[in-house]
Amino acid sequence: MSTENEGNAVPAAPSVPPVPPSSSAPAEDAHGTAAPEPPRTPPHTPPHTPPYDPAGAAAPARAHDVPPPHAPHTPPAPPTGAGAGWPAPPPPPAWGAPLPPSSEPPRKRSGGGLVAALLVAALVAGGIGGGVGYWAAEQNDGSSSSTTVAAGEAPADFAREPGSVAAVAGKALPSVVTIEAKAGGSGAEGGTGTGFVYDKEGHILTNNHVVASAAEGGTLSATFSDGKTYDAEVVGRAQGYDVAVLKLKKAPSGLVPLPLGNSERVAVGDSTIAIGAPFGLSNTVTTGIISAKNRPVASGDGSGAGRNSYMSALQTDASINPGNSGGPLLDARGAVIGINSAIQSAGSGGLGQSQAGSIGLGFAIPINQAKGVADQLIRTGEPVYPVIGATVNMAEGGTEGARIAPEGEGGTPAVVPGGPAAKAGLKPGDVIVKFGDRTIDSGPTLISEIWTHKPGDRVTLTYERGGKSATAEVTLGERKGDSG
């Protein structure tokens, strides 16, 4: 992108040498006499003007050529022969008398000679410049000195600006761990995920699907960014929320928990930073934005057992891949706003944790929800879910809402007798179209929205029955532990 020699000063050319007199005769008109030329204003004449000298007229006088004082004047003989054409010079005027005007106008100097002289001067100047450059190069060739200027070293106190991605990542990385999970038994396979320090006691927050394979008789380890590895054990896990809490068996002192943000205050367009171990590449940092909020997501755990997790997720375009699961999604300040949990699969069109790779559609559990689950798991070791006491059809989608099924699992009543839905007057076949101020378009969307609340919360439901719309107040119940 640079231009060679641009901006270099051009050396001044030497002064133009005197122009030699033209040998050709003055131009003549059709009658054989010289063509007159308008007289030019003569330069300033010194006080003692030398007598007119036809012989000296052949060479123009330069500004610095001053005739010697009291030079004797010898009138030249008039020219003769074929080249004769000059008129006889006038007699010298008396001392002090004005010089009579010449009877012949001054001759016009040819421009061709001047142009040629300029070209010659330019060529000579170019040749001199090239010669000097070559000579200088020759002189430097054998010299031990160098004209190369060494680059200055970076300032010793160089630091990233506070709030930059580098600064945020540098502060967060020491609190992020890569989790290795190995199932029990010989030849059992393992998996890799991510977690982060939740408190100073050594609790690590991650996804349930990261540790599920090692939860029953397997082994778990957590490796920090400095390379130190610690054994870990499961404190509690919630399959429905896809949240799990581990504890380091010999937690080091000086653990720094990541600060938690407020996922309710996140706005679409906010910057995000994801940290994890995609495809086993620990301590990977990617960036993006919040591209949507309250995205209803049902993701599988990859076991094929039909155990899904439901979340009203934060959607981000920060690159998230298998191995990022359980890692923190940070805001621009470095506070955790979510736990990276699922990505959209281009191949199957489904959502889960074992897809081929990121296509810019990642989903994170909002930290406000994950924090409540984590605190519950640390206290009791088991999750608690809010419920409405009704079984809804999970296969229907679109804009039809969440339809209460004709019957529950195993032939049980679809509306639990004495449960929240029953007390609100709901019946099988009713279609729930709104939960609070959120529009409901399917069963998974309803479950995702219910699980953003707590048991005991009162919510207004809007439902349709027989083509008519109605509302009901529901007080959410609770269910402890994971079923199925």
Side-chain angles (χ1 to χ4, degrees):
M1 296 177 64
S2 62
T3 54
E4 187 177 1
N5 297 330
E6 184 177 1
N8 294 338
V10 179
S15 58
V16 179
V19 180
S22 173
S23 59
S24 60
E28 295 182 347
D29 60 14
H31 299 284
T33 60
E37 177 182 358
R40 291 179 294 180
T41 303
H44 174 71
T45 305
H48 301 288
T49 304
Y52 178 77
D53 187 356
R62 291 175 294 181
H64 59 275
D65 290 340
V66 180
H70 310 294
H73 173 70
T74 305
T80 59
W86 289 88
W95 181 259
L99 182 66
S102 172
S103 59
E104 176 188 347
R107 292 187 301 159
K108 183 176 181 181
R109 186 179 297 171
S110 171
L114 178 60
V115 173
L118 289 175
L119 291 176
V120 170
L123 291 174
V124 170
I128 292 174
V132 171
Y134 178 78
W135 175 84
E138 286 291 301
Q139 289 296 106
N140 287 334
D141 247 0
S143 173
S144 59
S145 62
S146 172
T147 58
T148 302
V149 179
E153 295 186 3
D157 59 348
F158 179 79
R160 269 71 186 178
E161 291 292 331
S164 67
V165 174
V168 171
K171 189 174 181 179
L173 276 168
S175 300
V176 179
V177 298
T178 300
I179 298 172
E180 294 287 344
K182 294 183 179 179
S186 59
E189 296 183 358
T192 301
T194 308
F196 60 93
V197 177
Y198 186 68
D199 58 28
K200 295 182 178 180
E201 286 69 42
H203 289 108
I204 304 295
L205 192 55
T206 187
N207 283 144
N208 171 68
H209 74 265
V210 170
V211 303
S213 62
E216 304 294 336
T219 60
L220 290 165
S221 65
T223 303
F224 285 81
S225 60
D226 62 3
K228 295 181 180 179
T229 300
Y230 301 87
D231 291 334
E233 59 186 354
V234 176
V235 171
R237 56 197 187 96
Q239 179 267 323
Y241 291 120
D242 197 18
V243 173
V245 176
L246 310 181
K247 188 173 184 181
L248 303 178
K249 291 183 178 181
K250 295 181 180 180
S253 61
L255 288 175
V256 179
L258 286 182
L260 304 183
N262 185 351
S263 53
E264 289 296 322
R265 300 186 65 181
V266 171
V268 172
D270 282 350
S271 297
T272 58
I273 302 172
I275 303 179
F279 299 103
L281 301 174
S282 302
N283 309 315
T284 296
V285 177
T286 56
T287 62
I289 62 168
I290 293 293
S291 46
K293 290 181 62 177
N294 303 315
R295 186 72 77 192
V297 172
S299 62
D301 61 3
S303 66
R307 297 176 179 176
N308 288 334
S309 300
Y310 300 94
M311 68 186 92
S312 184
L314 297 174
Q315 180 180 312
T316 180
D317 65 350
S319 181
I320 297 174
N321 291 285
N324 275 103
S325 294
L329 183 68
L330 308 175
D331 62 16
R333 304 169 302 157
V336 181
I337 54 175
I339 301 176
N340 300 319
S341 182
I343 59 176
Q344 176 71 42
S345 172
S348 64
L351 292 158
Q353 298 86 20
S354 58
Q355 288 77 21
S358 172
I359 59 171
L361 293 172
F363 304 95
I365 303 166
I367 194 61
N368 289 18
Q369 177 182 350
K371 182 182 183 302
V373 176
D375 291 343
Q376 177 70 30
L377 293 176
I378 292 172
R379 285 196 307 267
T380 68
E382 64 177 353
V384 174
Y385 299 93
V387 296
I388 62 171
T391 301
V392 296
N393 191 331
M394 303 298 286
E396 292 183 359
T399 59
E400 296 182 1
R403 184 182 299 275
I404 299 178
E407 61 180 23
E409 187 176 357
T412 59
V415 178
V416 178
K423 291 178 180 179
L426 296 176
K427 298 179 179 180
D430 289 348
V431 180
I432 300 173
V433 294
K434 207 166 185 180
F435 186 86
D437 58 356
R438 287 292 309 280
T439 299
I440 303 301
D441 59 5
S442 67
T445 300
L446 176 62
I447 301 301
S448 298
E449 190 58 32
I450 290 173
W451 285 359
T452 64
H453 292 73
K454 297 177 181 178
D457 287 351
R458 290 180 61 85
V459 184
T460 299
L461 291 180
T462 302
Y463 64 95
E464 295 178 352
R465 178 189 299 170
K468 295 181 179 181
S469 179
T471 61
E473 291 289 325
V474 175
T475 301
L476 299 179
E478 71 174 28
R479 186 193 82 206
K480 293 184 177 180
D482 286 309
S483 61

